[in-house]
Each structure stands twice: as structure tokens, then as C-alpha cells.
Amino acid sequence: DPSGTHREAVATQLAPYVDGELVRGVVIGLYDAGKTEIYGFGKGPSGKQPDGKTLFDLGTLTKVYTGVLLAEAVQHKEVELDAPISDLMPTGVTVPTRDEVAISAKHLALHSSGLPRHPSSLTSRKPLPDPFAAYNDDALYQDLVTTTLDAAPGTTIQISDYGIGLLGFALGRKIGGGYGAALKTRILDPLGLSDTFLTLPTGASARKAIGTDDNLEPAPRWTWGALAGAGGLVSSARDCLKFLDAQLDAAAGSRGTLRPQLRLAQEAQLDRGGDNEALAWMID
């Protein structure tokens, strides 16, 4: 919006990054008590200036959506936070334990499962441009059988794409249809997040910004496979602000759509003061 209140101030801050070619294109979304402003700079898809509908990889922010999906399943009594995640796996698939402590859904959401950051089958091979390419259900099952936990579940917080990815995978199995379908039906559609996708629909690719490396050369998108719940989502600035608005509305006590689930996802889960964790949220 060229007439937005804060466009000039934002443009002044962004100019060194765009002019200095540190970024090719960027979209900035501002939120203030329900009012939003969205500004695009540089070049986006097809060389045009990006805007509020330009699609970007959310990457690790996907974890927050997975946390909300967990809260939704808990509210529907489909999943218990403290129940073993192995209960949601197919018969015969073993989930690692340590010191006779089983990994729960809560452990996965809090990054306290003891699972390493990435599965061993990915870390043991030569780095690839898309490290999760072809990481399917069978690959996940095989890694679960062979994984040794770094610590007993519930004792150490260690960021783990493996853990959150496993959580999303398990929720997709329990709810039905897989992670992408479960998230769309239970979270994205009810919140009206029409620009947030796991798989880009026909026609949306033209709005997708291409990621770049440090030299601003095109970089391939990570596909994530069975671990999509850790980083697979694509969204727009418009949808991200809409999601933020729903989160803040829930925190304010609203009874609107999915507000109880959003509040549950925001609740501190650790028995301690100061820095804390909610379901895939860090709390300061």
C-alpha cells in the first residue's frame, strides 16, 4: 500500500538490505491492535515487487501450526498430551525410549523428547540441496527403530525437527488423511488461512517467492516429506498477520473459532518460572 502510514519509515530501514543486495525481495507486515499494513520491496516472483499475497516458505514457523493441531486433537480427546506417541504409530513400529521413559506428544512439542535434531539416515549421508527429499513414511519408521535418544524424555530441551516432524506425522495418522489434510481441515480452513499450504495448488506457484542462497542465487525448496510438520508450510504475509490476530484474540479470552485450542497451545507447560515453553511456542 503506497499510502500506508508507516511505509516511508519501513522503506528507510529496508533500503540498505535491498540496495546492498543482501536480500532480493522482502515483505514486511505490521500489526497494531487489529490494524495491519503490508509493504513489499525488491523483486519477487516474475521479477515483480512482492506483496501481501506473495508466498514464502515458513520453515521452522511451521512448528507453531503443528502445536495448534496438537491442541485441537487434545481438545477433541483424540490425543492425550502425556500418552506415549507410540500409541499413534502402526503396529510393529518401535519408538525409542530411554531409562524406561516413553516419548509423549508433549515431549515432542516441547523439544524434550531426547530425539536428535535430524534422523540419522539424513545426517550420515552427504549434504544435499534438499536434505529431506524422498524422506517418506518407511524412512521415518526405519529411523525410529534405529535411533538412540540423546537423553531421557522430559529431562533436556534440545531443538529437534525430527521430533516435531514425528508429532505432525502422528497427528496426521490419528486425525486421518496425513499431516497436510489434517492441518487444512482442522486449522487452516476454520481460521480462513486461504494462502497457507503444504502442497502448492495449481495456479499458486506463480505467487511463490524463490528462496536464495548467500549469493542470491536460486536455492531449491526443501520438501520435508514425512517430517513436514517441522517446516513444510508456505504462506503469505497476509495470512501470517491473520494467524497472529487469531492468536492474540484467543489470548484476550475470545470465544471465537479455535480460540480454546489456540489458548491451550499458548499455555506454559514447564514447571518453572521465567523462560518457559508452550506447545511449539517459546515463552520469554
Side-chain angles (χ1 to χ4, degrees):
D1 179 3
S3 62
T5 304
H6 297 92
R7 181 175 181 85
E8 184 176 347
V10 173
T12 298
Q13 294 188 54
L14 263 293
Y17 297 93
V18 177
D19 296 344
E21 297 186 344
L22 296 177
V23 296
R24 175 168 290 167
V26 60
V27 174
I28 300 294
L30 305 181
Y31 180 96
D32 182 9
K35 297 179 181 179
T36 62
E37 298 174 38
I38 299 176
Y39 305 112
F41 303 91
K43 294 181 179 181
S46 303
K48 299 178 181 178
Q49 189 177 76
D51 57 27
K53 288 182 64 66
T54 300
L55 300 174
F56 292 88
D57 292 296
L58 286 188
T60 193
L61 294 179
T62 301
K63 296 177 175 65
V64 175
Y65 295 75
T66 302
V68 176
L69 185 62
L70 171 59
E72 161 73 1
V74 169
Q75 291 278 357
H76 276 83
K77 301 187 184 303
E78 296 164 309
V79 176
E80 295 181 10
L81 281 179
D82 294 318
I85 202 68
S86 57
D87 293 351
L88 306 183
M89 291 290 104
T91 302
V93 174
T94 303
V95 176
T97 63
R98 182 158 176 170
D99 298 343
E100 300 184 354
V101 180
I103 296 173
S104 68
K106 182 177 177 179
H107 290 141
L108 295 174
L110 301 185
H111 295 282
S112 64
S113 66
L115 287 168
R117 187 176 189 110
H118 296 132
S120 60
S121 66
L122 298 182
T123 57
S124 62
R125 69 186 187 187
K126 181 181 178 180
L128 299 172
D130 179 5
F132 296 92
Y135 193 81
N136 58 21
D137 300 9
D138 290 338
L140 174 59
Y141 296 151
Q142 183 60 41
D143 274 319
L144 287 172
V145 170
T146 59
T147 293
T148 299
L149 299 185
D150 293 337
T155 60
T156 303
I157 294 174
Q158 174 180 281
I159 300 298
S160 175
D161 291 336
Y162 188 0
I164 293 287
L166 173 60
L167 176 61
F169 179 84
L171 292 172
R173 277 185 48 81
K174 179 63 178 178
I175 295 170
Y179 174 76
L183 189 73
K184 184 177 189 302
T185 301
R186 295 291 186 87
I187 307 301
L188 304 181
D189 287 351
L191 291 178
L193 302 180
S194 57
D195 275 347
T196 304
F197 313 105
L198 184 60
T199 301
L200 285 174
T202 302
S205 297
R207 294 191 284 129
K208 174 69 173 64
I210 304 301
T212 59
D213 59 21
D214 290 345
N215 296 317
L216 297 188
E217 295 298 324
R221 183 188 175 206
W222 288 11
T223 51
W224 291 93
L227 299 180
L233 286 181
V234 168
S235 190
S236 66
R238 186 182 67 174
D239 259 20
C240 286
L241 290 175
K242 189 181 295 184
F243 185 62
L244 175 61
D245 182 65
Q247 292 279 359
L248 294 172
D249 187 56
S254 168
R255 297 184 180 182
T257 302
L258 289 181
R259 292 334 189 237
Q261 291 88 331
L262 295 172
R263 278 193 292 276
L264 174 58
Q266 296 169 8
E267 289 180 5
Q269 297 290 338
L270 300 179
D271 185 20
R272 69 182 189 190
D275 291 350
N276 211 310
E277 283 197 78
L279 301 181
W281 280 112
M282 304 299 293
I283 301 175
D284 182 357

